[in-house]
Amino acid sequence: MWTVPRPNYSTEGEIMVNIGGVRVALLGDVLQRYPESRLAELLRCSSSSSQSLELISSLCDDFDASRKEFYFDRDPDAFKCIMDVYYFDEIHIKRGLCPICFLREMEFWRIESCVLDECCRSDLSEKEDELKDISDKVKVILEDLEVERCSTRIQRCQRSVWRLMEKPGSSVPARVIAIASFLSILLSALVMCVGTIPELQVKDADGELMEHPTLEAIETTCMMWFTVEFLLRFASSPHKLHFILSVMNVIDFMAIAPFYVVLSLTYLSSTSMMELTNVQQAVQALRITRIARIFKLARHSSGLQTLTYALQRSLKELGLLLMYMGVGIFVFSALGYTMEQSHPETMFRSIPHSFWWAIITMTTVGYGDIYPKTTLGKCNAALSFLCGVIAIALPIHPIINNFVIFYNKQKVLESAAKHEVELMQLQDNRDGRKESRERMESMESSP
Amino acid sequence: MLPQLKVTMEKSLAELHEAGSRSTSSLPPGPVDIIRGKSCYRRVRLNVGGLPHEVLWRTLDRLPRTRLGKLRDCNSHDSLMEVCDDYNMEENEYFFDRHPGAFTSILNFYRTGKLHMMEEMCALSFSQELDYWGIDEIYLESCCQARYHQKKEQMNEELKREADNLKDRDGEEFDNTCCAEKRQKLWDLLEKPSSSVAAKILAIISILFIVLSTIALSLNTLPELQDTDEFGQPTDNPKLAHVEAVCIAWFTMEYLLRFLSSPNKWKFFKGPLNVIDLLAILPYYVTIFLTESNKSVLQFQNVRRVVQIFRIMRILRILKLARHSTGLQSLGFTLRRSYNELGLLILFLAMGIMIFSSLVFFAEKDEEDTKFKSIPASFWWATITMTTVGYGDIYPKTLLGKIVGGLCCIAGVLVIALPIPIIVNNFSEFYKEQKRQEKALKRREALDRAKRNGSIVSMNLKEAFARSAELMDVVVEKSGGPNANHLSPSHWKWNSKRAASETSSNRSFNMQELGSPSKVRVTSPQRLNVQKLEEMYNQMAKTQSQPNLNAKDKSSRGGKQRDVIELGAIQDHSPSVFGAREGVGDMKSLSSIDSYISCATDFQENPRLPLSPALESGHQESNCFLYGPATNLSQQANAKSGQQTTGDRDPILTPMSATKSLCSESARRFFFSRNSSKTIYPKGGSRSDAESGLSPLSDSSVVSDHSLLSTEISVYTTASSGTPPKSPESTALTVFTFHDSSISKYIDADTDDDEHHRDLSDSSPSGHLLASASSKCSITKNYQRGTNHLEAAQKVLGQNCLFPLEGVRSKTHENHIVHEIARRPKVERGFQKTVDKSL
C-alpha cells in the first residue's frame, strides 16, 4: 500500500521495536550476544544493505517505515522478562505469568529454554507435570469417546464391554456392575473372616476342622464372579500388555489364582498324584493369599488409590521412617537389655527378644507383656517413648504432605481434564469455522 | 456534516485524521471516516484504563464475536460508542474504561489462543472482565481453570453465606402477630447472650443447669447412691431425681419460651441446636410416661430395657453445650463438611484391621493357648494396635506374629495420620471463615458509614452491592413470608401505587366537600384557589396552611369554621397520631441526631393541632428560631422527650411549625443559606429535610417567589405529615428508611436519590392535578415548583449523603423507623374511613 524507504540502521546500531504497544529501543551489540535470537536476526536483516522486505515481515508482524520501528504482536510483559537474557544471561519468569505460555514466548523470540534460571525451572516442571497428568486423563476420556469411531462390529462390542466393566460413570448398568463387584469383594472378605471362627466350622471325616459348606459355596460364587469379571476385562481391554502390567489387575489375579491352585491341588491329590499332607500344607499356605482380595477395593475408592500413589511417591520418606525406627529399636533394646540385667526376674532375656518391647514402646502401643522393672530401665523406656514419637512424626510429615497434595489434585484433575476436552472440542469447532470462513472469503474474492 | 464529509473524502490521509479528531470533539465522524481510518492501519491502539496496547487488527479477528472482534466491524459512531467508551480516529486509539491488569491476559488470549488468569487477580472481578470483553470462561486454560472455579465458587459461597447471615439478622421481624416487642425482647434475651447483661446471666445459668444435670446423671449410676424399688431393682436416688426434675423443668421452660418467641416457628423447629434441645428433654418425659402407664408391667424385662435406653438418651443433653460454644459448633460443621475424609479414614482403618488381623491369625493360630482364635477375634487386637492404644489383653507371641504386630503399629500410625490433615484443614478454613465473617460484618458497617459520608463513590462497589442485593433478593424470595415485604423493593412500589389510588379517591371526595368554606376568606383569588385545593387535598395539614394564610392576609375569617372541622378531624385522627407517636417515642431515647428525626416527625402532628392561640407567639418564636435553629430544634427534641402529652408540647411545637409555614423571607433566606453552606448547619436541618419529607426545602427553593409560597409550603407540609391521604409522601419516607434499614445497606447514594426522585415525581403529578382543578396558570407554576423541588430535593439528599454526622446513626434507630412505617399503613385504613365520615 505504501512504499517503504530503505532504512539503514547500521550507523546507529540501534533498532526500535514495538511489542504490543510498548516501545523499546535496543542496542545492536547487546542483541548480538545471542545471534540465534529473532531480534538479532532482525538487526542483521535491517542493517545489511541487501535487506528484503519479505524477510523483515517474516520476522516481525508489522514494520513502520516512517518511524523505523518493528512491531511484534506479542505479550509485552513476557518480553520484558525475556529481554533480561541480553543483559544478565538468565531469565526469571515474572510472577503471575504462566510458565508454559512463557516458554512459548521464549520460543518465539528464539531464546533457548536453558537460559531459564533454576528457581523458575522448578515452577515450570511442576506446571508441566500437572499438564501431563491432565493430558493423560484427557487421553483416557478421548479414548472413551472414540467408541463410536470403531469400524468393525467386534471392536465396537469390545469397547462397549470395556466401558461397562471399567467406567462405572458411563452408564447405569456399568454402575450396577461396579456396585455388585464392590459388594462381592466385601462379602468374600467377610466369608474369609467368618470361616475362621471355630464355632462355625465343621469337622470332616478325619476329624479335621473344615469350613462350613455354605460359606464354601459363597466363596466359590464370589470367586466365579471375580473370574468372569477379570476375564471380561482382559478380553475387552484394548491394550493387553498394558492391562497385564497394571497394578490393579495384578491384584485381581492374585486374588483369584489361589482358589484355582487349591482346586487343582486337590484334584491332583484325589488322583493320588501328590501326597495328601503336602497338598494340605500348600492349601493352608495359599489361604493367606486370600487377603489380597481386600486390595481389590482400591479399584472402587479413589482415596485408596491416592494412598498407594502417595506411598509410591514418598518411598524415600518411608525408608527414612523405617531407618529411624530401626536405629531406635536397636539402640533402645540394647540399652534396655543391659539395664535390666541387674534385675533377677528380667523380661529382657536377649537383645532380639527386647526388639519387640522397643517397637511396642516406640510406637506408644504398650501391650504390657514386657516391661522394665529397674529404675534405669524405666528411664530408658521413657526416653525411648519420646524418641519414638519424634522418629515417627518427623518423616511422616512429608508423606502426609504428599498425600494431601495428591488428594487435592485428584479432586481437581477430573474436572480439569473434562474442561480440557471441552476446550479441545471448542477449538476444533473454531478451527472448522475459520476454515469455512476462509473458504467463503476465497469464493467471494474469486469472482 | 455532509459538506465536511465531502471535503474530507477528497483530502489526503493526514487531513482525514484531522477531520476525525475534529469530529470527535464536535461532531461524531461518519461511517466513511471510520472505515477509512481503520483501513489505513494494520494495527490498532487500545487504551484500557490508561495502559496503552497495540495490536494487529488481524489478531483481533481471531475472535470475531467478542467485544474487540466487533470493534473491527463497527462503522458508525453509535456502534463504536457501544463497543468502546471513547475513541480517537486521529490516533487510531480506542479507549476502554476497564481494569488494565485483566486486559493484559485477555489480549494475550487473542495473541496466543491461551487464556490464563493472573495469579493475583480476584476470580470474581476476572469473571466480570471476561463478561465485559465477551469471552466465555470456558476458554480458560485448564491450569488456571481449577483455581478460577475454586475461587469463584468460594466467593459465591461466601456472598451467599453473608447474605444469609444478613437475612437472619434482619429477617427476625416480629410484626406479624401480637406483642411483637415483648417477643422480640424475649428472643434477644434467650438467643443472643451478647445483647444484654441479663441475657448473659441467663446463658450462664443455662450452662450451669446443663452441667448440673449431667453430673446428677452420672452420680445416679453410683451403686452407693442408688435405692432399690419394690422389685429389688436399683432405681434413682430421690434427691438426685429432684435435681433431675428441676433441670428438666428449666430446660423445658427454656425450650418453650424460645419456641414461643421465635419469629419463624418451622425454622426454629428444624434448627439442629433446637433438635438437640428437644432430644435432651424428650427422654425424660417418655420415661415418665412409660413408667406411669406400665407401672404394673414394669417388671417385664422389655419395658425395663426401653426405659433404660431412654435413660441413656438423657446423656444427649451434654450436646446442649454446643449452643453456648462456637468451638463445638464449628467442630460439628467441620465433621459434616469432611464426611468424605472421615469415610476415607474409616476405610483405611478397616482395611488395615482386616489385613493385619488375618495375617496375625495365620501367624499365631498354631500357637498353643493362643487368643487369636479366629480372624474376627483378632480384629480387636488389630484395632487396639493400629490406634496405638495397646491394652495388652491380646498380643502376639510367635516371631512372625511379632513382626506383623510391629508393621501393624507403624501402618496404623501412618494410616490414621494421613487423612487427618485434610479434616484439620477443613476445620481451620471454617474457623478462619468465621473470623473473616465477623470482620466482614464490621467492614461492611464501616463501608456503609463511609458511603454515607460520601468518601466512597465507586462503580465497582455499586455493582458488587447490586450483586449482593440480587443474592439477597433471591434469598428473600425463597424464604417468602412476612419479612419479605419490607426487604424487597417490590414492596414500596406496590405501596406507592396503592397510596396513589387512595389519594385520588380521597381528593375527589374532598373537592366536592370543601368548596364553600374556602370562598369565605378569598383575598387574592389565584393564590387562594390553589390554597383551597391544597386544603382539600391536605385534610390533615389544613391548619398548617391556615396560619400561613393568616400571616399573609392577617385575616382570621372562617378560621373558626375550619377549626371545627379540623378538630373533628383531629379527634378522628388521633389514633393514627398515637400510632405514629409510639414510633417517635422509641426514637427519642436515641442520640441527639435522632431527636431531630423525632422533630421531623413532630411536624406531622403539629398541623393537626389548633394553632390560633399560638400564632402570635409563633412569630416571636420564629425569630428566635432563626437565630439559633439548631438549639431550638434540640430543645424541642429534649422537651418532647420529656413531655409526652400533646397539651404540653403545643406551645413549643407550634412555633416550630409556624416558622416552617409562615416564616418570613429572612427565615427562608436563612434556610437557603443553610442549604448552600452546609457547614453552618451541620445536622439538624438537613436531617429534618430528609426525614420530614423535605419541608424546609420548600423554603429554600421558594426564596425568589413569594406569590406561590403558600401552595408550596402546603405541598411540603403534606410531605412532612406522613398521614394517609398523602401517602405518596409517606412512601417517600418509606423509601428513605428503606435505604437506611435495608438489608443490603449498600444501595448507593445515587440509587437512593433515584428512588426518591421517582417517588417524588409520583407525588408531584398529584399536586399538579390538584392545581389543574382551579386555574391554569397556577398549574404550570405549581408544577414547575414541584419539579424544582424535586431537583432541590435531590441536591439536598445528595448533600445529606455527604454529611459526616449522618453516618453516626446506628442501626437500632433505623429499625425503629421501620417499625413505625410498617405499622402506619394499618392505621391508615381505619383513619381514612373516619375522614370520609367526618366530611
Side-chain angles (χ1 to χ4, degrees):
Chain A
M1 203 169 164
W2 62 84
T3 56
V4 181
R6 303 205 156 185
N8 194 358
Y9 292 110
S10 56
T11 51
E12 295 153 18
E14 187 182 281
I15 57 167
M16 281 289 285
V17 288
N18 180 349
I19 290 104
V22 176
R23 288 195 178 75
V24 191
L26 297 169
L27 280 176
D29 47 348
V30 171
L31 295 183
Q32 285 302 340
R33 285 182 198 167
Y34 285 84
E36 301 282 289
S37 69
R38 187 179 280 256
L39 282 174
E41 201 171 326
L42 191 73
L43 184 76
R44 253 176 290 149
C45 263
S46 58
S47 59
S48 66
S49 53
S50 62
Q51 54 140 327
S52 61
L53 202 60
E54 287 84 41
L55 198 59
I56 288 179
S57 58
S58 74
L59 285 172
C60 68
D61 289 316
D62 201 3
F63 175 55
D64 193 337
S66 57
R67 278 187 184 149
K68 295 175 183 174
E69 70 176 25
F70 302 93
Y71 175 76
F72 294 93
D73 199 7
R74 306 302 292 190
D75 184 11
D77 285 344
F79 180 73
K80 274 178 206 156
C81 296
I82 286 169
M83 264 315 290
D84 284 350
V85 80
Y86 292 106
Y87 302 116
F88 310 121
D89 289 335
E90 58 181 34
I91 293 182
H92 291 270
I93 300 175
K94 199 174 125 195
R95 257 190 73 82
L97 288 179
C98 176
I100 307 289
C101 254
F102 192 78
L103 218 61
R104 290 247 167 71
E105 291 289 323
M106 282 174 74
E107 257 168 45
F108 177 82
W109 297 109
R110 294 188 197 155
I111 307 265
E112 280 154 31
S113 58
C114 58
V115 291
L116 203 65
D117 200 62
E118 202 57 48
C119 63
C120 300
R121 210 174 284 171
S122 65
D123 265 5
L124 182 69
S125 62
E126 206 175 281
K127 217 42 166 217
E128 271 173 343
D129 281 352
E130 203 181 314
L131 281 186
K132 206 172 133 258
D133 286 347
I134 292 175
S135 68
D136 284 350
K137 276 266 176 194
V138 165
K139 223 181 273 168
V140 171
I141 293 176
L142 281 184
E143 264 174 21
D144 291 352
L145 289 176
E146 270 168 9
V147 174
E148 288 78 24
R149 292 183 203 163
C150 292
S151 48
T152 60
R153 198 157 151 244
I154 300 161
Q155 257 182 328
R156 222 177 298 141
C157 259
Q158 194 185 350
R159 283 289 176 174
S160 54
V161 171
W162 176 248
R163 279 177 75 182
L164 200 67
M165 304 307 290
E166 281 280 320
K167 306 282 181 288
S170 63
S171 64
V172 178
R175 189 169 289 266
V176 169
I177 285 175
I179 289 170
S181 156
F182 180 75
L183 287 180
S184 64
I185 292 167
L186 280 187
L187 187 69
S188 72
L190 198 74
V191 163
M192 182 187 81
C193 296
V194 169
T196 58
I197 298 175
E199 289 84 34
L200 292 177
Q201 286 174 338
V202 288
K203 282 192 179 141
D204 64 357
D206 305 331
E208 290 282 314
L209 284 172
M210 288 288 292
E211 268 189 21
H212 203 272
T214 42
L215 291 180
E216 199 98 47
I218 295 172
E219 168 83 16
T220 317
T221 346
C222 282
M223 273 303 152
M224 294 309 283
W225 166 253
F226 290 155
T227 316
V228 169
E229 205 184 0
F230 183 77
L231 286 180
L232 272 180
R233 277 216 178 94
F234 183 71
S236 68
S237 84
H239 314 287
K240 305 282 190 239
L241 190 72
H242 200 261
F243 181 86
I244 289 169
L245 290 179
S246 157
V247 182
M248 279 296 144
N249 298 317
V250 171
I251 290 171
D252 275 6
F253 184 74
M254 293 272 285
I256 303 165
F259 180 74
Y260 290 100
V261 172
V262 169
L263 265 189
S264 54
L265 279 180
T266 41
Y267 174 75
L268 285 178
S269 68
S270 66
T271 52
S272 65
M273 281 176 76
M274 278 176 79
E275 240 175 90
L276 199 67
T277 49
N278 286 351
V279 169
Q280 269 174 347
Q281 271 174 359
V283 167
Q284 282 297 329
L286 281 173
R287 287 184 95 175
I288 300 176
T289 54
R290 284 190 188 182
I291 301 162
R293 69 186 61 168
I294 292 169
F295 289 109
K296 271 168 73 80
L297 280 179
R299 191 186 284 283
H300 303 282
S301 157
S302 62
L304 268 178
Q305 282 167 22
T306 317
L307 176 71
T308 49
Y309 195 55
L311 290 182
Q312 265 176 32
R313 275 305 189 85
S314 42
L315 275 179
K316 215 167 137 194
E317 285 84 10
L318 274 178
L320 203 65
L321 175 69
L322 286 181
M323 197 192 77
Y324 283 176
M325 288 298 290
V327 170
I329 286 164
F330 266 107
V331 169
F332 288 109
S333 61
L335 277 177
Y337 173 72
T338 43
M339 281 163 186
E340 287 289 310
Q341 282 304 308
S342 55
H343 202 274
E345 290 166 27
T346 178
M347 289 165 164
F348 296 74
R349 276 175 289 153
S350 67
I351 290 182
H353 268 106
S354 42
F355 279 174
W356 170 242
W357 167 83
I359 292 175
I360 292 305
T361 311
M362 283 184 80
T363 53
T364 73
V365 170
Y367 287 128
D369 50 348
I370 308 177
Y371 48 90
K373 282 167 180 165
T374 60
T375 323
L376 266 178
K378 280 174 183 169
C379 289
N380 172 53
L383 204 65
S384 77
F385 154 75
L386 277 177
C387 288
V389 169
I390 292 168
I392 289 174
L394 289 185
I396 258 185
H397 187 75
I399 301 174
I400 290 173
N401 230 7
N402 268 343
F403 178 77
V404 171
I405 288 169
F406 287 128
Y407 188 77
N408 288 336
K409 211 189 246 175
Q410 201 78 24
K411 280 203 284 194
V412 171
L413 206 63
E414 196 76 22
S415 75
K418 268 180 195 149
H419 176 257
E420 186 71 38
V421 171
E422 269 174 35
L423 204 65
M424 280 164 81
Q425 280 171 345
L426 254 173
Q427 257 150 10
D428 284 352
N429 287 346
R430 207 170 62 198
D431 290 346
R433 228 182 11 247
K434 207 193 284 172
E435 274 166 23
S436 67
R437 206 170 110 166
E438 273 165 11
R439 223 176 297 130
M440 289 285 283
E441 273 170 8
S442 65
M443 278 174 70
E444 274 169 20
S445 61
S446 57
Chain B
M1 188 65 206
L2 259 179
Q4 188 195 12
L5 239 178
K6 274 180 187 168
V7 171
T8 49
M9 278 165 73
E10 285 156 11
K11 278 181 182 174
S12 64
L13 265 173
E15 278 165 323
L16 180 133
H17 291 170
E18 232 169 76
S21 75
R22 207 187 314 142
S23 55
T24 43
S25 56
S26 55
L27 279 165
V32 183
D33 273 341
I34 291 165
I35 292 169
R36 190 167 281 228
K38 276 181 185 169
S39 59
C40 300
Y41 291 105
R42 290 179 66 201
R43 285 177 254 161
V44 58
R45 275 197 210 160
L46 304 169
N47 186 342
V48 178
L51 207 69
H53 297 272
E54 215 166 339
V55 67
L56 290 172
W57 278 117
R58 192 177 64 205
T59 312
L60 295 186
D61 273 349
R62 285 178 197 158
L63 292 164
R65 284 188 198 167
T66 57
R67 186 175 279 264
L68 286 177
K70 278 179 200 153
L71 194 64
R72 177 95 199 236
D73 303 329
C74 289
N75 292 328
S76 71
H77 172 75
D78 290 333
S79 58
L80 263 181
M81 286 308 276
E82 251 175 52
V83 172
C84 66
D85 290 319
D86 199 3
Y87 64 98
N88 187 349
M89 279 276 95
E90 187 190 6
E91 295 278 322
N92 191 30
E93 187 169 297
Y94 298 85
F95 178 73
F96 297 88
D97 204 358
R98 301 301 289 189
H99 186 251
F103 185 69
T104 1
S105 46
I106 285 167
L107 196 61
N108 277 337
F109 176 49
Y110 285 91
R111 284 176 181 145
T112 60
K114 308 262 178 204
L115 183 58
H116 287 279
M117 187 173 104
M118 292 288 238
E119 240 163 66
E120 60 266 37
M121 204 57 200
C122 167
L124 218 60
S125 77
F126 191 71
S127 86
Q128 273 173 8
E129 291 295 318
L130 285 183
D131 279 352
Y132 177 80
W133 296 108
I135 294 168
D136 200 317
E137 60 186 30
I138 203 168
Y139 287 111
L140 210 58
E141 283 298 299
S142 29
C143 58
C144 302
Q145 180 255 1
R147 194 158 46 93
Y148 171 76
H149 280 286
Q150 223 169 344
K151 270 191 185 172
K152 207 178 162 195
E153 260 163 43
Q154 203 181 324
M155 280 308 293
N156 277 339
E157 218 170 78
E158 214 165 285
L159 273 181
K160 207 175 273 176
R161 204 172 306 132
E162 262 175 51
D164 276 347
N165 262 10
L166 282 169
K167 191 205 72 181
D168 280 350
R169 278 198 315 168
D170 293 314
E172 290 167 1
E173 282 306 315
F174 293 85
D175 51 356
N176 43 355
T177 43
C178 58
C179 41
E181 271 170 52
K182 278 178 196 164
R183 274 179 47 203
Q184 172 154 27
K185 267 180 196 160
L186 195 60
W187 180 250
D188 284 347
L189 199 67
L190 289 168
E191 282 282 317
K192 291 161 191 162
S194 55
S195 65
S196 66
V197 181
K200 202 166 271 178
I201 290 169
L202 216 65
I204 289 169
I205 291 173
S206 181
I207 290 173
L208 285 181
F209 265 112
I210 293 167
V211 172
L212 184 69
S213 71
T214 334
I215 290 170
L217 192 73
S218 16
L219 281 183
N220 243 339
T221 56
L222 275 182
E224 296 88 49
L225 293 176
Q226 277 177 341
D227 279 358
T228 46
D229 61 0
E230 59 260 42
F231 309 111
Q233 301 278 0
T235 55
D236 298 349
N237 188 321
K239 279 175 199 160
L240 287 174
H242 285 315
V243 171
E244 172 85 11
V246 169
C247 287
I248 286 291
W250 169 267
F251 293 151
T252 316
M253 193 192 73
E254 206 183 7
Y255 184 78
L256 286 181
L257 279 180
R258 276 217 177 91
F259 185 72
L260 283 179
S261 66
S262 74
N264 189 342
K265 303 281 188 246
W266 178 237
K267 212 176 118 198
F268 176 84
F269 195 70
K270 270 194 309 185
L273 289 177
N274 301 315
V275 169
I276 288 173
D277 278 5
L278 197 64
L279 281 179
I281 303 166
L282 271 185
Y284 185 79
Y285 291 106
V286 172
T287 323
I288 286 179
F289 173 75
L290 281 177
T291 44
E292 290 306 314
S293 61
N294 300 320
K295 199 112 206 175
S296 52
V297 283
L298 201 59
Q299 63 267 43
F300 293 130
Q301 206 58 39
N302 288 340
V303 178
R304 286 200 72 84
R305 199 159 278 170
V306 170
V307 169
Q308 280 298 325
I309 286 169
F310 276 107
R311 281 174 67 102
I312 288 162
M313 271 179 75
R314 287 187 195 173
I315 205 64
L316 281 174
R317 69 185 56 161
I318 197 79
L319 291 178
K320 267 169 76 77
L321 280 179
R323 184 187 287 284
H324 304 283
S325 152
T326 46
L328 266 178
Q329 278 173 32
S330 33
L331 179 70
F333 188 83
T334 309
L335 292 186
R336 208 164 52 206
R337 235 182 146 187
S338 45
Y339 65 92
N340 226 333
E341 286 79 29
L342 276 179
L344 205 63
L345 176 65
I346 289 169
L347 180 74
F348 284 175
L349 261 185
M351 278 191 63
I353 288 167
M354 199 83 134
I355 292 162
F356 284 110
S357 62
S358 42
L359 280 180
V360 86
F361 169 71
F362 285 116
E364 291 274 325
K365 69 177 175 150
D366 295 329
E367 192 79 356
E368 255 174 58
D369 195 25
T370 180
K371 284 182 175 159
F372 297 93
K373 280 182 186 129
S374 65
I375 292 178
S378 44
F379 278 174
W380 171 244
W381 168 84
T383 315
I384 292 304
T385 308
M386 281 193 89
T387 53
T388 72
V389 172
Y391 287 127
D393 49 349
I394 312 176
Y395 48 88
K397 279 166 189 156
T398 61
L399 178 66
L400 214 60
K402 280 181 179 175
I403 290 170
V404 170
L407 284 178
C408 182
C409 295
I410 294 170
V413 171
L414 256 180
V415 151
I416 290 176
L418 284 182
I420 279 181
I422 300 170
I423 301 172
V424 168
N425 209 24
N426 273 347
F427 179 78
S428 68
E429 240 170 50
F430 177 72
Y431 199 73
K432 247 189 259 164
E433 188 93 346
Q434 267 193 336
K435 280 266 165 67
R436 196 167 48 210
Q437 257 175 36
E438 274 167 27
K439 269 185 197 153
L441 263 171
K442 270 182 202 158
R443 201 177 54 224
R444 188 161 277 197
E445 268 158 25
L447 204 65
D448 198 27
R449 223 174 294 140
K451 180 144 315 118
R452 271 196 244 141
N453 292 349
S455 56
I456 301 174
V457 179
S458 88
M459 291 280 287
N460 257 345
L461 276 172
K462 200 171 162 186
E463 269 174 34
F465 298 146
R467 185 173 282 223
S468 71
E470 277 169 30
L471 265 173
M472 212 74 67
D473 280 349
V474 172
V475 173
V476 166
E477 274 163 30
K478 257 190 229 158
S479 73
N483 314 342
N485 47 13
H486 103 247
L487 299 182
S488 64
S490 64
H491 167 249
W492 49 263
K493 270 180 201 158
W494 165 80
N495 198 8
S496 69
K497 259 184 221 164
R498 190 196 61 178
S501 66
E502 270 178 21
T503 42
S504 62
S505 65
N506 213 26
R507 190 174 54 220
S508 58
F509 190 67
N510 290 344
M511 284 209 283
Q512 296 163 0
E513 271 293 311
L514 278 166
S516 50
S518 59
K519 264 175 199 161
V520 184
R521 37 169 185 125
V522 172
T523 41
S524 63
Q526 184 201 7
R527 199 200 308 152
L528 266 179
N529 267 342
V530 181
Q531 175 74 31
K532 259 182 280 162
L533 281 162
E534 291 301 335
E535 280 174 6
M536 291 182 256
Y537 175 43
N538 311 325
Q539 281 288 318
M540 297 308 299
K542 219 180 284 162
T543 42
Q544 176 98 5
S545 55
Q546 187 199 347
N548 214 336
L549 251 189
N550 287 343
K552 292 275 170 205
D553 309 339
K554 303 287 181 221
S555 70
S556 56
R557 284 173 293 165
K560 279 187 182 176
Q561 265 188 19
R562 225 176 297 117
D563 274 353
V564 175
I565 301 169
E566 280 156 18
L567 276 170
I570 288 155
Q571 277 157 13
D572 287 336
H573 300 166
S574 51
S576 81
V577 176
F578 280 124
R581 202 173 292 147
E582 269 179 72
V584 175
D586 283 341
M587 284 188 284
K588 249 179 286 166
S589 58
L590 305 161
S591 68
S592 66
I593 297 165
D594 227 1
S595 66
Y596 290 118
I597 309 165
S598 65
C599 279
T601 34
D602 283 345
F603 296 149
Q604 33 175 296
E605 288 158 43
N606 287 329
R608 290 160 221 148
L609 306 164
L611 288 177
S612 40
L615 265 181
E616 257 66 42
S617 63
H619 281 287
Q620 293 169 354
E621 290 282 339
S622 72
N623 283 338
C624 90
F625 177 68
L626 287 174
Y627 294 122
T631 51
N632 196 7
L633 275 167
S634 58
Q635 268 173 15
Q636 243 178 305
N638 292 339
K640 195 179 175 265
S641 56
Q643 301 155 343
Q644 274 284 2
T645 54
T646 29
D648 287 345
R649 213 183 332 162
D650 281 348
I652 314 164
L653 290 180
T654 42
M656 176 76 178
S657 62
T659 45
K660 282 276 161 355
S661 54
L662 52 85
C663 49
S664 55
E665 199 186 320
S666 59
R668 265 164 242 138
R669 204 164 275 161
F670 175 77
F671 273 113
F672 188 68
S673 65
R674 189 196 65 211
N675 277 330
S676 55
S677 59
K678 299 150 260 171
T679 45
I680 298 172
Y681 198 88
K683 26 183 175 173
S686 46
R687 178 81 249 169
S688 60
D689 279 353
E691 288 294 316
S692 67
L694 323 166
S695 64
L697 233 175
S698 61
D699 302 316
S700 65
S701 53
V702 177
V703 168
S704 55
D705 197 337
H706 296 271
S707 61
L708 276 163
L709 179 91
S710 55
T711 63
E712 275 149 30
I713 284 167
S714 57
V715 165
Y716 279 93
T717 43
T718 47
S720 72
S721 60
T723 37
K726 285 90 33 180
S727 30
E729 281 79 15
S730 78
T731 48
L733 256 176
T734 330
V735 171
F736 196 82
T737 47
F738 170 69
H739 158 55
D740 280 343
S741 64
S742 63
I743 3 142
S744 65
K745 298 177 80 188
Y746 283 105
I747 302 160
D748 249 22
D750 316 344
T751 53
D752 202 37
D753 282 355
D754 287 348
E755 282 157 15
H756 258 276
H757 191 178
R758 225 180 299 156
D759 270 65
L760 285 170
S761 58
D762 278 347
S763 67
S764 65
S766 70
H768 171 84
L769 278 170
L770 269 177
S772 71
S774 62
S775 67
K776 293 259 170 178
C777 80
S778 72
I779 295 168
T780 46
K781 279 185 180 174
N782 202 10
Y783 188 57
Q784 275 180 352
R785 277 295 123 230
T787 48
N788 276 346
H789 289 320
L790 285 177
E791 284 159 17
Q794 266 180 285
K795 271 178 208 161
V796 172
L797 277 169
Q799 288 163 3
N800 266 346
C801 297
L802 296 172
F803 273 116
L805 272 158
E806 295 241 323
V808 182
R809 290 173 31 126
S810 63
K811 224 201 131 223
T812 41
H813 317 165
E814 293 152 17
N815 275 343
H816 284 300
I817 295 167
V818 179
H819 289 317
E820 186 203 357
I821 282 152
R823 210 176 297 128
R824 195 169 289 154
K826 286 175 200 162
V827 190
E828 277 171 19
R829 293 270 172 72
F831 167 55
Q832 200 188 336
K833 277 175 201 161
T834 53
V835 170
D836 293 349
K837 272 178 208 162
S838 74
L839 288 172

